[in-house]
Amino acid sequence: MRINMKHVWIVFKKELKDAFRDRKALLVGIILPMLFIPAIFIISSLAAKSAFEVKPQKTPIAVLGKENSKTLTQMIQKSEFQIVDSKNPKKDLQDGNIKAVLIIPKDFEKLILQEKQVQLQILTNDADMKSSSVGSMLSEIINNLSKEITKSRLIQKNLDPSIIEPIVIKKENVAPPQKQSATLLSFLLPMFLTLWVAVGGMNAAIDITAGEKERGTLEPLLTTAATRTSLVTGKYLAVSFMALLAGLSSLIGVIVSFAVLPAALGEGFKNSPFSGYSVSPITVFIMLIVVILTAIIFAAIEVAIAAYARSFKEGQTYLAPINFVVIIPPYLTMYKIPNELTDTYFVLPLVNAISVLKELIYDIVNLQHLGLFIISSLVYIIISIKFATRMFENEKVLFRS
């Protein structure tokens, strides 16, 4: 059937007016996506900082056998850890009342003077990230003492202390701060962006298909002069518009998160896993292309599925699995760094959008991958629109009871 653009425009305006009258849908589809990503950004920053950051002056530890080594005890006291007494150190450690237990044996000083080896024991609760960090800090203090003792012994024997270190390892982390924080962001951001695009047009898709069936307004609409192709095109464009609005809203949330929040959070943002990360204008522009193409695909699929439903509630049931399907691709690419993503990832439906977004978060713009994504997305758009049109033109589907 021919498409009458005047009819398409009339249907498009009518469906958009209906969509904007639903304030709850607008809240879920437009306002929440804009607030959700900044909220996740703040919560993740504060949670990560809280989980890893150790302030010795506020961290209680137990030292059993303090009297056995004044030197070591003084070093720990100098580090400002709170040394507390504990009747049951293991239980207190498991309960989180203390963060580590250091056990100094009775013969510590005697064995040191005899130039023999002595064993110290550090107990930590590795289920508690702070306890694990405290254990590492205590190990470093003890290692420093051990090096000083060794150095002193060698000097007394007129030997060069460096002879016990024939090889010195110098480790250097060459990853820019932006790429270190990208690991977590490359999982979270693509998932939330595509999730909001999928959710954004869902209510509109159900309302203009199954909802119209339920209200009994679909049959009169089909008797008008407008062809079914014009009707489905107008409705489809309205759903695409709502999905796109949700995608743009979440994209604004991304920009706010990286352009405004770091300055607003100040010291609270320092040392968070996202500090030092920013998004460039070209990154935002390509993200916009990804959002637009993904919104169009989801709109067509949602219109086709919702057209099969007999009521609004049934439509919600049919479309609910989309929420779960959307979060699968981020897990497929979760443990892949960008250079491990082959061309196949950029042609698979939805995985291609997630993969392009993942590269962008690592500040990589690969034109070949971008081209594969655009071409494959256009193919999926054509297939999904034909599917939606078939469903809308099939009277057995539209008027099934």
Side-chain angles (χ1 to χ4, degrees):
M1 288 186 184
R2 289 188 308 163
I3 296 181
N4 185 320
M5 292 312 295
K6 183 181 175 182
H7 292 160
V8 170
W9 178 242
I10 292 171
V11 174
F12 175 71
K13 282 197 299 181
K14 178 256 181 193
E15 301 300 356
L16 275 189
K17 280 182 183 177
D18 289 344
F20 279 99
R21 285 195 190 105
D22 187 351
R23 292 185 180 179
K24 288 181 184 175
L26 288 180
L27 176 68
V28 173
I30 298 175
I31 306 298
L32 279 184
M34 199 182 300
L35 301 176
F36 188 78
I37 289 180
I40 288 292
F41 181 83
I42 293 172
I43 292 169
S44 301
S45 298
L46 297 179
K49 189 178 177 184
S50 171
F52 289 101
E53 191 177 49
V54 173
K55 293 180 179 177
Q57 62 273 28
K58 294 183 179 178
T59 305
I61 64 170
V63 179
L64 307 183
K66 282 181 285 188
E67 66 282 2
N68 298 331
S69 174
K70 289 182 181 177
T71 307
L72 182 55
T73 304
Q74 284 173 355
M75 287 179 76
I76 295 170
Q77 287 172 333
K78 198 174 177 182
S79 69
E80 297 183 344
F81 276 116
Q82 280 186 33
I83 301 177
V84 297
D85 295 326
S86 172
K87 292 181 180 176
N88 191 341
K90 280 191 177 179
K91 187 173 186 308
D92 283 341
L93 185 58
Q94 288 171 345
D95 293 343
N97 298 325
I98 54 177
K99 296 300 178 186
V101 179
L102 172 63
I103 303 172
I104 306 174
K106 282 184 181 177
D107 51 357
F108 182 88
E109 296 285 4
K110 183 182 172 184
L111 291 171
I112 293 293
L113 288 173
Q114 292 175 351
E115 298 187 356
K116 292 183 178 177
Q117 192 178 59
V118 59
Q119 287 189 348
L120 291 176
Q121 192 174 9
I122 297 173
L123 308 182
T124 58
N125 177 6
D126 285 354
D128 178 351
M129 291 181 183
K130 281 188 178 176
S131 176
S132 183
S133 299
V134 171
S136 300
M137 293 168 78
L138 286 175
S139 297
E140 190 176 345
I141 291 171
I142 294 167
N143 283 333
N144 288 336
L145 175 61
S146 178
K147 285 178 182 175
E148 286 300 318
I149 292 171
T150 306
K151 187 177 176 183
S152 173
R153 287 176 181 173
L154 291 172
I155 290 173
Q156 284 176 3
K157 297 177 188 299
N158 293 322
L159 294 172
D160 183 356
S162 64
I163 63 171
I164 61 167
E165 288 184 303
I167 299 174
V168 177
I169 300 173
K170 187 180 178 183
K171 291 178 72 177
E172 184 180 356
N173 182 7
V174 298
Q178 182 169 348
K179 290 199 173 181
Q180 292 182 60
S181 56
T183 303
L184 183 58
L185 290 172
S186 65
F187 172 71
L188 293 177
L189 281 188
M191 182 170 68
F192 290 134
L193 276 173
T194 50
L195 182 62
W196 283 114
V197 168
V199 171
M202 202 173 282
N203 266 339
I206 300 170
D207 187 60
I208 65 177
T209 52
E212 289 224 38
K213 284 185 190 178
E214 196 172 33
R215 293 190 296 271
T217 54
L218 186 59
E219 288 185 37
L221 187 64
L222 294 173
T223 60
T224 61
T227 63
R228 291 194 183 186
T229 306
S230 301
L231 289 175
V232 73
T233 304
K235 288 175 178 290
Y236 166 67
L237 289 177
V239 176
S240 299
F241 187 82
M242 296 305 294
L244 188 55
L245 275 185
L248 291 176
S249 177
S250 56
L251 204 51
I252 290 171
V254 172
I255 296 168
V256 169
S257 296
F258 296 109
V260 178
L261 284 182
L265 290 174
E267 283 297 315
F269 185 68
K270 196 177 178 183
N271 298 328
S272 91
F274 306 134
S275 60
Y277 193 86
S278 60
V279 285
S280 64
I282 186 67
T283 298
V284 174
F285 176 71
I286 299 174
M287 281 183 174
L288 180 62
I289 294 174
V290 175
V291 165
I292 291 172
L293 294 177
T294 309
I296 294 172
I297 294 171
F298 273 113
I301 294 170
E302 288 168 1
V303 167
I305 295 174
Y308 185 75
R310 287 168 291 197
S311 65
F312 195 94
K313 193 173 180 180
E314 194 174 299
Q316 285 179 315
T317 304
Y318 289 157
L319 290 180
I322 288 180
N323 294 320
F324 302 103
V325 170
V326 170
I327 64 174
I328 293 174
Y331 282 98
L332 287 175
T333 59
M334 184 177 178
Y335 297 106
K336 300 277 185 185
I337 57 175
N339 63 4
E340 292 176 333
L341 296 173
T342 60
D343 290 350
T344 308
Y345 284 87
F346 296 88
V347 295
L348 295 173
L350 194 56
V351 177
N352 56 3
I354 298 291
S355 300
V356 170
L357 290 171
K358 192 177 183 86
E359 281 193 338
L360 292 174
I361 289 163
Y362 276 90
D363 204 24
I364 296 171
V365 179
N366 186 318
L367 294 180
Q368 181 182 331
H369 290 165
L370 191 58
L372 286 172
F373 161 73
I374 292 173
I375 293 169
S376 59
S377 294
L378 290 175
V379 171
Y380 296 133
I381 287 171
I382 293 169
I383 294 171
S384 55
I385 289 176
K386 283 194 171 185
F387 177 52
T389 306
R390 287 275 180 90
M391 293 291 281
F392 212 79
E393 289 176 345
N394 189 335
E395 293 195 357
K396 288 183 181 177
V397 171
L398 283 185
F399 303 114
R400 75 192 186 91
S401 58

